[in-house]
Amino acid sequence: MLDANDYKAPEVFSRWRTVALGVGGIFTLVILIAALIGTPEQKEQALRSWLLGFIFWGGIGIGCLGILILQYLFRGAWSVVVRRVVEAGSRTLPVILILFLPLLAGVSHLYEWTHMQDDPVVAYRGWYLTATGWGIRALIYFALWGVMVYLLNKWGGNQDKAENYEESAKWLGTATAFCGPTMVFFVLVVTFASVDWVMSLDPHWFSTIWGLLYVVGWGLSAFCFVVVILASISNEAPMNRILGKKHFHDIGKLMLALVMVWAYFNFSQYLIIWSGNLPEETAWYLKRYKGIWGWISVILIFFHFAFPFLVLLNRDVKRNSKYLAMMAIFILVLRLIDYFFMIGPSPRVHGTGAETISWMDFVAPIAVGGIWLWAFFGQIQKRPIVPFNDPFLESAIEHGKGH
């Protein structure tokens, strides 16, 4: 069996972790001050901006859990080299829960339905659409994700401790068998969470494909994040002898597929709602036709779909870690804009503000991101950077070096 010391995570993560904590701490303090001493409108804006940052960065962490489940089912060469990165991302779940607490505490300042008890739509949903019901469901979501994270990371750790390849293969088989039905539950939990946390901002609007938009969106964000991490350490030991062009090529193809599926789901939602022509459904899009939101919708069409689609069709781009990482960062920026497009124009408890972009919309994602990255960089240093006892590691390395 191989030595774990030969597969330690690069030391550069320690420096990045310090920077992330400093930036995240400073920007979090700024948001906290604005929320505590500001007007009710400013407090709501601070929570709404925090929700934007939480959905983006928390989505990367939860998306890493989804990829962790998926890679056990695929068992491709790419799955072996990304496993420890997505495991580390999934283990940030306790920090994601902490980042969720401001939203849990400020639910009555963020969601309009908490002040609409006499509204017939809200009243019809009864206890389900109350602050208590909303909070209990959120804790259930985190508990279910927590079980998935704990078991998969436990079995991954056991694989590292295996004394022979037969024992290692046993743990790999256990995780694979678990991930089949678990993927179904993962999709369902993400669906319920995305409906509660984002779609319910507008209590009179609904979409049956909403959950899948978040399954695909969080998965795409996580894949892009993994590419950035792997590309940044591709020349560092030990990854310089593990990663190859075909690894990035395979992940790039998955990014391309998710970009296409994201566009397909969004177009399907638009086409079905618009062709139905029901006022309670089309109102969501009518708000996003006006002012800056109309321009953002055009940006998403051309730069979240068309441009990445054309670029990622190029084989040379997908095989070049630097170029692919640049495209991944570009897509991540568009992912944040996409969430802002969903959250920004939604009804507000205090005033409208639908045509404005607040400075907090820039500060809060940096604050949440700094804290989340601090947790991620800490987690990724706790284990070898690859599953060195995996029976398929050697073949995965050979695959990456191929032409």
Side-chain angles (χ1 to χ4, degrees):
M1 302 297 285
L2 302 175
D3 187 355
N5 292 325
D6 294 333
Y7 296 92
K8 285 185 177 180
E11 290 296 326
V12 68
F13 288 134
S14 296
R15 298 195 297 271
W16 294 351
R17 190 181 191 219
T18 302
V19 173
L21 179 61
V23 173
I26 293 172
F27 280 75
T28 298
L29 183 62
V30 172
I31 286 291
L32 182 62
I33 293 173
L36 292 178
I37 68 174
T39 63
E41 290 81 4
Q42 289 175 318
K43 179 179 292 187
E44 179 181 6
Q45 181 60 61
L47 286 168
R48 183 173 286 241
S49 300
W50 190 266
L51 175 65
L52 172 64
F54 171 81
I55 291 297
F56 177 73
W57 290 103
I60 293 178
I62 298 169
C64 282
L65 173 58
I67 295 176
L68 179 59
I69 297 170
L70 186 69
Q71 60 85 33
Y72 276 116
L73 300 177
F74 271 68
R75 285 195 183 183
W78 65 270
S79 70
V80 180
V81 299
V82 308
R83 187 178 304 158
R84 289 296 181 257
V85 179
V86 294
E87 279 182 354
S90 71
R91 291 198 304 273
T92 62
L93 187 66
V95 174
I96 296 175
L97 174 58
I98 293 173
L99 293 171
F100 178 76
L101 293 181
L103 304 175
L104 183 61
V107 60
S108 62
H109 297 280
L110 182 59
Y111 294 94
E112 187 186 31
W113 48 261
T114 58
H115 302 271
M116 300 170 60
Q117 292 81 3
D118 296 331
D119 184 271
V121 174
V122 175
Y124 179 79
R125 295 171 183 175
W127 183 85
Y128 191 89
L129 199 60
T130 62
T132 301
W134 184 90
I136 291 175
R137 288 196 304 277
L139 297 179
I140 293 174
Y141 305 150
F142 279 103
L144 293 173
W145 286 326
V147 171
M148 301 175 197
V149 169
Y150 172 76
L151 291 177
L152 290 175
N153 279 274
K154 177 185 176 182
W155 294 329
N158 288 344
Q159 190 182 42
D160 284 346
K161 299 173 185 177
E163 297 181 356
N164 51 63
Y165 284 118
E166 289 74 19
E167 184 182 354
S168 174
K170 183 194 77 171
W171 292 116
L172 182 63
T174 299
T176 302
F178 173 78
C179 286
T182 299
M183 177 56 80
V184 177
F185 284 98
F186 175 80
V187 172
L188 288 174
V189 175
V190 169
T191 297
F192 277 88
S194 63
V195 168
D196 276 357
W197 297 346
V198 183
M199 196 172 79
S200 71
L201 285 168
D202 190 339
H204 288 167
W205 186 78
F206 56 90
S207 168
T208 54
I209 205 171
W210 189 262
L212 292 178
L213 284 173
Y214 277 78
V215 172
V216 171
W218 283 352
L220 176 58
S221 297
F223 266 122
C224 290
F225 178 76
V226 168
V227 166
V228 174
I229 294 298
L230 292 180
S232 65
I233 61 174
S234 60
N235 295 322
E236 302 272 350
M239 299 307 284
N240 55 358
R241 64 178 188 269
I242 295 174
L243 287 173
K245 291 182 178 179
K246 290 196 71 175
H247 293 137
F248 288 101
H249 188 202
D250 292 343
I251 301 173
K253 288 188 287 186
L254 289 167
M255 288 170 54
L256 172 61
L258 289 176
V259 166
M260 295 169 62
V261 174
W262 172 87
Y264 173 74
F265 283 168
N266 272 281
F267 178 72
S268 298
Q269 176 179 270
Y270 174 82
L271 181 64
I272 292 171
I273 288 177
W274 201 252
S275 62
N277 199 26
L278 299 176
E280 61 269 25
E281 295 180 355
T282 56
W284 194 86
Y285 282 105
L286 289 174
K287 293 178 183 177
R288 287 158 178 81
Y289 276 173
K290 302 174 183 177
I292 190 173
W293 307 110
W295 289 105
I296 291 178
S297 66
V298 173
I299 290 173
L300 289 173
I301 292 171
F302 285 99
F303 294 103
H304 194 311
F305 168 63
F307 180 68
F309 172 76
L310 293 175
V311 172
L312 290 174
L313 285 176
N314 190 304
R315 182 172 181 266
D316 293 333
V317 171
K318 294 194 290 287
R319 292 170 68 89
N320 187 302
S321 61
K322 180 181 177 181
Y323 292 159
L324 189 62
M326 292 171 62
M327 177 51 60
I329 294 173
F330 180 83
I331 293 175
L332 282 172
V333 173
L334 271 295
R335 294 298 311 127
L336 182 62
I337 295 175
D338 183 37
Y339 294 133
F340 181 60
F341 182 74
M342 296 179 182
I343 294 172
S346 301
R348 296 178 180 244
V349 178
H350 304 284
T352 56
E355 300 298 326
T356 62
I357 298 178
S358 171
W359 60 270
M360 299 184 203
D361 294 324
F362 298 92
V363 173
I366 297 175
V368 176
I371 296 173
W372 186 85
L373 287 171
W374 168 79
F376 170 81
F377 291 136
Q379 290 294 335
I380 201 170
Q381 296 177 86
K382 291 183 177 181
R383 291 186 176 181
I385 196 66
V386 292
F388 63 94
N389 275 340
D390 192 288
F392 299 99
L393 177 60
E394 185 176 344
S395 60
I397 294 175
E398 290 300 318
H399 171 82
K401 304 298 181 183
H403 297 288

